[in-house]
Amino acid sequence: MKINGVPYRTIWLNDDGWSITVIDQTKLPHRFETKELKSAEDCAEAIRTMTVRGAPLIGATAAYGFAMALRDDASDEALEAACKMLGETRPTAINLRWALNEMASAVRNRPREERVAAAYKRAAVLCDEDVETCRRIGENGLKLIEQAAATKEKGETVNILTHCNAGWIACVDWGTALAPIYMAHDKGIPVHVWVDETRPRNQGASLTAFELGAHGVPHTIIADNAGGHLMQAGEVDLCIVGTDRVTANGDVANKIGTYLKALAAKDNGVPFHVALPYSTIDWTMKKGVGMIPIEERSPDELLKMTGRLPDGSLATVEIAAPGSPAANPGFDVTPARLVSGFITERGLCHASEAGLLTLYPEHKPK
Amino acid sequence: MKINGVPYRTIWLNDDGWSITVIDQTKLPHRFETKELKSAEDCAEAIRTMTVRGAPLIGATAAYGFAMALRDDASDEALEAACKMLGETRPTAINLRWALNEMASAVRNRPREERVAAAYKRAAVLCDEDVETCRRIGENGLKLIEQAAATKEKGETVNILTHCNAGWIACVDWGTALAPIYMAHDKGIPVHVWVDETRPRNQGASLTAFELGAHGVPHTIIADNAGGHLMQAGEVDLCIVGTDRVTANGDVANKIGTYLKALAAKDNGVPFHVALPYSTIDWTMKKGVGMIPIEERSPDELLKMTGRLPDGSLATVEIAAPGSPAANPGFDVTPARLVSGFITERGLCHASEAGLLTLYPEHKPK
């Protein structure tokens, strides 16, 4: 997608053919800066510090990190060590594990001297696949927005609520939850997005608002607390969110607070859809509630806030009562019963094992 | 309650016998400062800018503002104008209207020369009554915490989640939702409070955490997004919140986001209690959802954040994507069906018209 008219992806291979550049998302929305990553450890650190974030982009970054590790040492031991090191950077997103498995599969049975080239090739394909997957998610989700528009007066705005950032900057391009919104907007359907601020890291207020604004999509930032009231007041036509892991039964791990919005949607008869690529489905996990590991992040994310001072420089302020501790679980799990449906690259389905298997019959238990 | 060992109320008459001093809550938790209010307009401005906040304290401040207005002009016209001006400072809290009605009733049938003295006397009594009311709410709510403690191993902590600030600094003393917690803590029951940050004004992270910390009550600040996950994980034994208005059927207006916590509590079988003084009940309003006016506050509350820089000075930073608009509804309405019960100065009751009438039979329709 475009930033100030310039088309970007979130991650690209540099001209040297081996290092990569990513958009530094810790600086957004205050500064648009890029960062070069030159080693597996650089890539791991970028994931850990959320220089890159969003399940698909984490996977893509880990893929290149894996390739860089093999440049130093292409042995089986180094390959396993790289998977372990990169895989432990974030515990909740399943794409990370998926991407590393893809990378390992692409090189494991090759002679050592071919491994580096094979890894870089697989990483590039993985990125291109992600773009195509997200584009298809957009096309499939567009149908839901068109349906919502059809129930309204001609020209009346469709109001969509989203949580966190599942936009193009969470992926390589297009996004998951935001892809249908970009397509609807580009097609001339009047859409407006309620952007959950998404505390404590404010990915909504900073990243989602940034990318929607850059593309010209009407949107309004709201406190995470406001969604229930807006749904009660009839101001939300549908919710679309992304996810970090969907289990075989359709439970959805996503940014902390998603569960609360799903409850409010259910209570008010507002459709609640989850957009995801196939790589986000964890077929090995039968259910999500109480099972998916939930990352506990630093209390500082809650207690401090970075922003722009009046002179444009950046500053970090402590916002809470001095001495009070904080807890910071990063994700929650929304039970499948609260989800209206999934939007994937293969189409739309019910949020259940049966629903997922209609789109992915190859995963039917044998 | 105490701050650094010194007992305080949130509002008091100065030695001059007519002006008042309040704790400047816009400076908390960064600075403990007080502010003198010397006119009805000062009092209105203090309410409007949230120098004072919390339904009971708003009422108390308006009461003194009314008395100050009569010092300038004790005519019937001035009396009505003062009620109107002070009553329009915040639209959601019903205590404000109640307090102004109490004040007007106390002076209306008196000769003009007696009105100022009568007004100051009524304002002082109103403050003392608020303290006693909150103390009783504490005693009655304590029973619920004792019940929760009784279901646990001896010495095991009772975890209570609260939203926004309904503590002593929202009242004249003791608080509403926090009063039972202070009493339990003082009685030696091990309690721990999950403090919702409460965006966008952060009254939880700043005020609730501040006053619990000052009194020595164990607590942990969490993002507003986290409560659902904690309830799902069995980490919350009960919720207690305050309210700005309860309608005759038991619907509860409170700080934006309360509704989402009530939904999560219901979904996880966690008791959800609302603490309130009688003055918060709006007997004239049959139901709350869709009926109680919801204050729309400044987008700046969401887009900017004030905190402490490393050198201890205060700074305000802009945190969201530049140019993105924000919406900021201040309250939401929790339907009575999601509320386990009310805690009032007269006891505990079911969240329904029948329940409220068991405690307040004088309001039975004739």
Side-chain angles (χ1 to χ4, degrees), chain A residues 49-333:
Chain A
T49 58
M50 297 179 72
T51 302
V52 292
R53 24 70 53 202
L57 179 55
I58 287 172
T61 308
Y64 276 111
F66 177 92
M68 290 181 208
L70 296 196
R71 285 184 80 232
D72 292 336
D73 181 349
S75 69
D76 286 357
E77 296 70 31
L79 183 160
E80 297 304 332
C83 279
K84 187 166 184 304
M85 191 266 289
L86 289 157
E88 286 174 350
T89 48
R90 298 286 301 274
T92 303
I94 189 70
N95 297 56
L96 179 58
R97 210 166 73 191
W98 170 85
L100 289 167
N101 284 343
E102 288 291 308
M103 294 302 293
S105 301
V107 305
R108 196 177 273 123
N109 296 324
R110 290 176 183 272
R112 291 194 184 187
E113 61 276 17
E114 293 177 13
R115 284 181 169 180
V116 173
Y120 273 97
K121 191 175 165 196
R122 183 68 191 97
V125 169
L126 193 143
C127 288
D128 289 343
E129 284 171 349
D130 187 68
V131 175
E132 176 60 13
T133 296
C134 287
R135 198 189 58 74
R136 289 189 188 175
I137 289 170
E139 281 182 348
N140 292 325
L142 173 62
K143 295 168 201 160
L144 297 169
I145 299 175
E146 286 174 333
Q147 277 170 22
T151 66
K152 302 201 149 220
E153 298 286 318
K154 200 174 154 58
E156 203 185 336
T157 299
V158 178
N159 288 296
I160 303 165
L161 184 141
T162 193
H163 190 68
C164 198
N165 176 262
W168 76 268
I169 55 175
C171 304
V172 178
D173 206 346
W174 280 109
T176 54
L178 297 193
I181 295 171
Y182 285 122
M183 292 213 177
H185 175 80
D186 289 351
K187 231 185 138 177
I189 299 170
V191 288
H192 165 263
V193 185
W194 295 111
V195 178
D196 271 1
E197 176 184 36
T198 317
R199 290 283 293 150
R201 287 185 66 92
N202 302 11
Q203 292 99 327
S206 54
L207 305 177
T208 299
F210 166 78
E211 64 164 275
L212 289 174
H215 197 81
V217 180
H219 64 282
T220 305
I221 299 169
I222 51 173
D224 300 307
N225 284 325
H229 169 67
L230 291 174
M231 292 189 218
Q232 209 180 49
E235 307 240 26
V236 181
D237 295 304
L238 71 158
C239 302
I240 310 179
V241 300
T243 169
D244 295 83
R245 188 186 312 202
V246 166
T247 51
N249 71 334
D251 287 350
V252 173
N254 191 41
K255 182 60 53 190
I256 191 83
T258 303
Y259 169 44
L260 295 171
K261 291 305 138 61
L263 284 166
K266 188 77 166 186
D267 201 46
N268 292 286
V270 173
F272 187 92
H273 293 279
V274 180
L276 64 146
Y278 64 102
S279 55
T280 304
I281 307 169
D282 185 352
W283 298 99
T284 69
M285 207 172 247
K286 286 291 163 205
K287 56 172 243 174
V289 177
M291 301 300 288
I292 297 174
I294 302 298
E295 181 179 2
E296 181 73 29
R297 296 189 55 85
S298 165
D300 276 356
E301 293 186 350
L302 199 54
L303 301 175
K304 297 178 180 180
M305 187 81 87
T306 298
R308 304 178 298 280
L309 288 168
D311 68 2
S313 65
L314 297 188
T316 298
V317 293
E318 290 188 79
I319 58 174
S324 287
N328 185 15
F331 301 86
D332 63 20
V333 180

